[in-house]
Amino acid sequence: MTPSTLKVTIARGAAGDDTFDVPAAANQTVLDVVSWIQQNADPTLSYRFACRVGMCGSCAMMVNGVPSWTCRTHISKVLQGDTVSIGPLRNLPVIKDLVVDMDPFFDKWVAAEGVHHPTATRDDPIAPVDETSAGRVVANAGIECINCSVCYAACDTVTGNEDYLGPAALQRAWTVLNDAKDGDKAAILDAVSGQGGCHNCHSMGSCTAYCPNDLDPMTAIAGLKRATAKSFFKRGR
């Protein structure tokens, strides 16, 4: 049974933690709780959200030490007695309270060459894509990543190695590598095989375990390990 009042501890950075008494409500999410605190108890509390329906991923936070989309996380599922702790995503610089700087995350996405390398111009006809081809099936498996950074926050390798590109960036690189229309697969393989690349992954699987969209970055990273090894021996270096 959910208690009538929740004791919610919010991480406030260098200022320490603050605990708030929040009225419990039916079907209450963690994001509802954070919003109640900002609207009724402390208007200085900073946090991010947008869609509130599990589409954008901007409300991701640490809930009892677990990275989660707070709009999808019902408070009744995470209460420990009548308490819950909420903090900013791990592995990213904190701007204020529950707001993190996403720049390092997106910088690594770019560093992994997770961008399309075109083989045609906008004036050329659009080539058809065989949705049943093996490469397209593999690419589609990771295409629903919305860069919420939950997997990045869950990854202990990122925690121990700031150069590691991280599961989201590497999954994106694997998706583009398997895109038949991509024109520079060698650039992708070079980017993900160097310092901080796919071979730093310890295959612990936290990225896959915590992905809110049920994607499988660990398998994508394993694919990159195989592809970079094949490329190494093929090129003779």
Side-chain angles (χ1 to χ4, degrees), residues 184-196:
D184 199 349
K185 300 184 187 304
I188 299 172
L189 293 175
D190 285 343
V192 303
S193 61
Q195 182 178 4

Side-chain angles (χ1 to χ4, degrees), residues 58-81:
S58 62
C59 69
M61 305 171 198
M62 303 297 291
V63 181
N64 292 338
V66 176
S68 311
W69 287 354
T70 55
C71 70
R72 274 193 188 178
T73 305
H74 284 260
I75 198 71
S76 61
K77 302 293 185 182
V78 295
L79 278 180
Q80 298 175 341

Side-chain angles (χ1 to χ4, degrees), residues 1-235:
M1 178 181 294
T2 302
S4 59
T5 302
L6 314 175
K7 291 194 175 298
V8 182
T9 300
I10 303 283
R12 307 299 294 267
D17 298 342
D18 283 341
T19 299
F20 302 89
D21 291 330
V22 179
N27 300 318
Q28 192 175 28
T29 67
V30 173
L31 182 58
D32 291 333
V33 168
V34 174
S35 296
W36 188 94
I37 293 171
Q38 195 273 336
Q39 293 166 11
N40 297 279
D42 185 351
T44 70
L45 178 64
S46 296
Y47 66 108
R48 284 195 185 109
F49 75 97
C51 73
R52 301 183 70 97
V53 292
M55 294 294 291
C56 71
S58 62
C59 69
M61 305 171 198
M62 303 297 291
V63 181
N64 292 338
V66 176
S68 311
W69 287 354
T70 55
C71 70
R72 274 193 188 178
T73 305
H74 284 260
I75 198 71
S76 61
K77 302 293 185 182
V78 295
L79 278 180
Q80 298 175 341
D82 62 351
T83 67
V84 64
S85 63
I86 304 169
L89 284 178
R90 197 171 67 133
N91 297 334
L92 288 164
V94 177
I95 296 174
K96 183 177 183 290
D97 299 335
L98 304 173
V99 179
V100 295
D101 183 357
M102 295 288 288
D103 280 352
F105 173 81
F106 288 113
D107 288 345
K108 290 179 178 181
W109 196 85
V110 175
E113 286 291 331
V115 295
H116 181 65
H117 308 91
T119 56
T121 71
R122 67 179 62 194
D123 299 317
D124 294 319
I126 298 175
V129 174
D130 181 3
E131 289 291 328
T132 64
S133 67
R136 190 64 249 168
V137 170
V138 170
N140 283 346
I143 207 168
E144 294 299 327
C145 174
I146 61 172
N147 293 310
C148 67
S149 198
V150 162
C151 64
Y152 192 85
C155 181
D156 287 334
T157 304
V158 173
T159 305
N161 180 2
E162 64 180 15
D163 293 327
Y164 180 49
L165 292 171
L170 292 171
Q171 178 172 254
R172 174 62 182 178
W174 178 242
T175 297
V176 177
L177 184 70
N178 283 280
D179 186 344
K181 292 185 178 182
D182 188 82
D184 199 349
K185 300 184 187 304
I188 299 172
L189 293 175
D190 285 343
V192 303
S193 61
Q195 182 178 4
C198 61
H199 294 281
N200 288 266
C201 173
H202 295 168
S203 301
M204 291 181 287
S206 296
C207 53
T208 296
Y210 291 112
C211 176
N213 269 350
D214 295 324
L215 304 183
D216 188 4
M218 187 172 68
T219 294
I221 295 168
L224 287 176
K225 289 178 179 179
R226 294 191 301 271
T228 53
K230 288 179 181 178
S231 176
F232 178 87
F233 290 111
K234 185 176 180 180
R235 295 192 223 179

